[in-house]
Amino acid sequence: LDDPGLDIAAGEEFLQEVFQILLEEGVQKSTDVTQKVCEWKEPQELRELMDLELRSDGEGQERLLQRCRDVLRLSVRTGHPRFFNQLFSGLDHHALAGRFLTETLNTSPYTYEVAPVLVLMEEQVLAKLRELVGWSSGDGIFAPGGSMSNMLAMNVARFRRFPESRSRGNWDLPRLGLFASQESHYSILKGAALLGIGTDNVHLVRTDERGKMIPEELEKEIQRVKAEGSEPLFVCATSGTTVLGAFDPLDAIADICARHGLWLHVDAAWGGSALLSPQLRHLLAGIHRSDSVTWNPHKLLMVGLQCSAFLLRDSSGLLQRCHGVGASYLFQQDKFYDVSLDTGDKSPQCGRRADGLKLWILWKAVGTRGLGWRVERAFAATRYLLEQVKRREGFQLVMEPEFINLCFWFIPPSLQGQESSPEFWDKLGKVAPAIKEKMIRRGSMMVGYQPLGSRVNFFRQIITNPAVTRQDLDFFLDEIQELGWDL
């Protein structure tokens, strides 16, 4: 024990090599449009290439460095300008620097004593996000993803109505009713299961043809649930649905919640960043009337996974009372500094990543106007692509997009003119999966597809990356047309 158990000099030399690999393979090549989006391998082939087995003895530095290269080379390049597969994409260098700092610091922002800079940083970022929502005060915490943020909202709503549920559980509560639209995120069902409320007690409200919740249908559902003897508790409105990008009418929904005394949560994981744009923030009109909000900067702002803010209008300490247990080894009340800065007990987690740091650095780098410009550029790129889809043979819109979700079918020549055939839609539903397989095996690009209701599989194109150019968008349509022409 007289000497360190680590070879620090060798470790630092290894890191210098790894940083160079990260820059070349993980940053430069991953954002280079001339490179493949992915180098597709079948699972068994990939297992053999990576030699995943863990053995008794360690490996040398050169072998480990090659493994680092392989991880980057054989993974999907989500920073690539032609990766359109998810609601997150692109690579921001400032935010990535923040991620490096977060990992290097390796601390949890649950107490000021172990994360003084990060605690104050999180406080400032959350305050700025609440200001954009329209609240002059409130509370909040960063959570590991939008699903968990939505679940926090459900838990806090239940605690506010039934504070005894924290100690006594659900056994003597009335049957609760939760309401969300048919297009809401699946985390509402997952949250109901996790919290013991039950998925049968999630009532999915009808939407209009654009995927927006119909307020009159919400009113009917609430009345129906009441008549059945249940206790309506919580309404989740969505600002930017996952598939269609629909924005629920928040003011009308807020009126209903106020009339029935229900908690209004807005899942703005996807669409919340529109609040940064003076041109687009009208899409979330009425969000200031909500009780809580989920907002994921790791999506449209390119902050990097993960960065999800749970925002609360309440400033009475509701979040702390709901989740806090005051562990004496962390949250001592006789510390020498202001213990209100020990915010970790607001979260069901103990250890937490400092997810606010990368957003803070990005915000410092480009400012609020710069973040808003990114949202507006993504919107403009979608408008351009929309016009191209309308002009091209074989492309058919699912509907006009309200935001940045562009949904469309590609109809191969073999199916054109057969729309009246009973087999048409069945055959069309197989086109998108077939094209996607071809593009992934080629490595040229990635884009998502899915069915929705009675609509068979269609492409859902998402643009969040400011590096995407007009040439990339033209290539996107050309590639689909080429890969699907002979289907």
Side-chain angles (χ1 to χ4, degrees):
L1 297 178
D2 291 334
D3 296 311
L6 294 172
D7 187 337
I8 295 174
E12 290 179 355
E13 180 185 347
F14 175 70
L15 280 179
Q16 288 179 350
E17 296 283 351
V18 170
F19 288 150
Q20 188 61 37
I21 292 170
L22 283 171
L23 184 60
E24 293 173 359
E25 293 282 346
V27 177
Q28 293 171 350
K29 288 186 179 179
S30 289
T31 57
D32 183 351
V33 74
T34 66
Q35 298 289 320
K36 289 185 176 182
V37 173
C38 66
E39 190 70 53
W40 177 257
K41 305 293 180 187
E42 296 297 333
Q44 188 53 41
E45 182 185 5
L46 189 57
R47 289 187 185 99
E48 294 170 1
L49 281 171
M50 289 298 299
D51 182 20
L52 298 172
E53 184 182 348
L54 300 172
R55 300 181 176 85
S56 299
D57 296 322
E59 298 179 339
Q61 178 166 311
E62 285 306 313
R63 188 74 185 95
L64 289 173
L65 290 172
Q66 184 57 48
R67 293 197 181 282
C68 292
R69 291 188 187 93
D70 290 343
V71 168
L72 292 166
R73 181 176 59 86
L74 296 171
S75 293
V76 175
R77 290 169 167 156
T78 63
H80 197 284
R82 293 173 184 172
F83 175 84
F84 304 108
N85 207 67
Q86 252 63 53
L87 296 181
F88 63 86
S89 69
L91 186 149
D92 181 90
H93 300 84
H94 298 100
L96 182 58
R99 293 154 78 182
F100 288 155
L101 288 170
T102 300
E103 295 302 314
T104 303
L105 289 170
N106 189 40
T107 191
S108 175
Y110 47 27
T111 64
Y112 181 80
E113 66 182 281
V114 297
V117 174
L118 303 179
V119 165
L120 297 181
M121 206 170 269
E122 181 173 275
E123 178 185 66
Q124 175 61 35
V125 172
L126 290 170
K128 192 66 178 178
L129 294 175
R130 288 194 302 268
E131 178 187 320
L132 288 163
V133 169
W135 301 332
S136 58
S137 61
D139 206 346
I141 201 85
F142 279 97
S147 291
M148 289 305 301
S149 291
N150 287 342
M151 292 178 200
L152 290 180
M154 298 162 72
N155 198 37
V156 172
R158 179 176 59 180
F159 174 75
R160 186 186 69 170
R161 178 80 68 86
F162 303 104
E164 68 275 15
S165 65
R166 173 186 155 93
S167 55
R168 296 172 61 83
N170 285 335
W171 71 273
D172 64 346
L173 296 184
R175 185 173 184 176
L176 303 178
L178 312 180
F179 304 85
S181 85
Q182 293 173 333
E183 301 302 320
S184 62
H185 193 257
Y186 64 82
S187 58
I188 304 303
L189 289 166
K190 284 194 171 188
L194 181 67
L195 295 172
I197 294 171
T199 57
D200 287 351
N201 297 312
V202 177
H203 306 281
L204 299 180
V205 181
R206 282 181 54 205
T207 57
D208 64 18
E209 69 282 355
R210 299 194 60 83
K212 301 169 181 283
M213 183 190 290
I214 302 172
E216 294 78 11
E217 294 297 323
L218 172 62
E219 178 70 39
K220 288 178 186 177
E221 280 295 297
I222 293 170
Q223 296 291 0
R224 182 183 64 79
V225 167
K226 282 184 175 181
E228 292 175 352
S230 294
E231 180 87 11
L233 171 72
F234 173 95
V235 173
C236 177
T238 309
S239 289
T241 58
T242 304
V243 178
L244 298 178
F247 287 76
D248 289 341
L250 300 183
D251 269 320
I253 294 170
D255 289 342
I256 294 170
C257 290
R259 189 158 57 247
H260 292 279
L262 307 184
W263 183 285
L264 174 57
H265 175 67
V266 177
D267 178 1
W270 172 228
S273 295
L275 290 169
L276 289 153
S277 165
Q279 299 175 21
L280 298 171
R281 63 174 294 118
H282 68 274
L283 294 170
L284 297 98
I287 193 171
H288 65 285
R289 300 176 62 187
S290 63
D291 296 289
S292 57
V293 170
T294 291
W295 184 347
N296 285 9
H298 73 234
K299 290 190 167 78
L300 194 47
L301 298 184
M302 270 194 349
V303 177
L305 288 165
Q306 59 198 24
C307 189
S308 177
F310 172 63
L311 307 174
L312 195 63
R313 184 170 58 172
D314 177 273
S315 57
S316 72
L318 183 64
L319 198 55
Q320 174 80 26
R321 297 196 305 277
C322 179
H323 297 128
V325 293
S328 60
Y329 56 86
L330 273 180
F331 306 115
Q332 304 93 331
Q333 296 303 294
D334 55 358
K335 292 180 179 179
F336 62 93
Y337 59 83
D338 179 3
V339 295
S340 69
L341 293 170
D342 289 354
T343 58
D345 230 8
K346 294 178 181 181
S347 170
Q349 298 171 257
C350 180
R352 282 195 305 122
R353 284 170 52 118
D355 291 327
L357 169 55
K358 54 197 170 189
L359 177 55
W360 184 85
I361 287 185
L362 172 60
W363 211 317
K364 282 288 190 180
V366 304
T368 305
R369 280 197 292 270
L371 294 176
W373 174 84
R374 288 189 177 188
V375 179
E376 290 164 4
R377 190 183 192 281
F379 186 79
T382 303
R383 299 296 108 181
Y384 171 79
L385 197 64
L386 169 65
E387 293 307 313
Q388 297 307 306
V389 165
K390 288 179 176 179
R391 293 173 184 169
R392 291 207 181 201
E393 180 184 359
F395 289 85
Q396 181 177 321
L397 282 176
V398 173
M399 66 175 57
E400 289 273 344
E402 183 174 25
F403 193 43
I404 301 174
N405 302 46
L406 185 64
C407 301
F408 63 91
W409 290 285
F410 176 71
I411 306 174
S414 64
L415 292 179
Q416 292 176 21
Q418 298 186 31
E419 287 79 0
S420 59
S421 166
E423 298 85 18
F424 172 79
W425 291 107
D426 180 60
K427 291 179 179 178
L428 183 60
K430 298 173 183 177
V431 170
I435 292 175
K436 181 160 186 176
E437 179 182 353
K438 288 184 176 183
M439 72 175 66
I440 289 180
R441 291 188 181 280
R442 182 182 283 189
S444 57
M445 63 184 193
M446 286 183 71
V447 63
Y449 72 84
Q450 68 286 305
L452 183 67
S454 61
R455 302 179 179 99
V456 300
N457 284 322
F458 55 84
F459 288 112
R460 179 195 61 164
Q461 210 269 15
I462 302 293
I463 304 168
T464 63
N465 186 355
V468 171
T469 65
R470 194 188 312 271
Q471 290 73 29
D472 295 316
L473 299 176
D474 291 339
F475 173 88
F476 170 78
L477 297 179
D478 291 342
E479 186 76 349
I480 286 179
Q481 200 163 23
E482 178 186 334
L483 295 176
W485 195 255
D486 59 354
L487 291 177

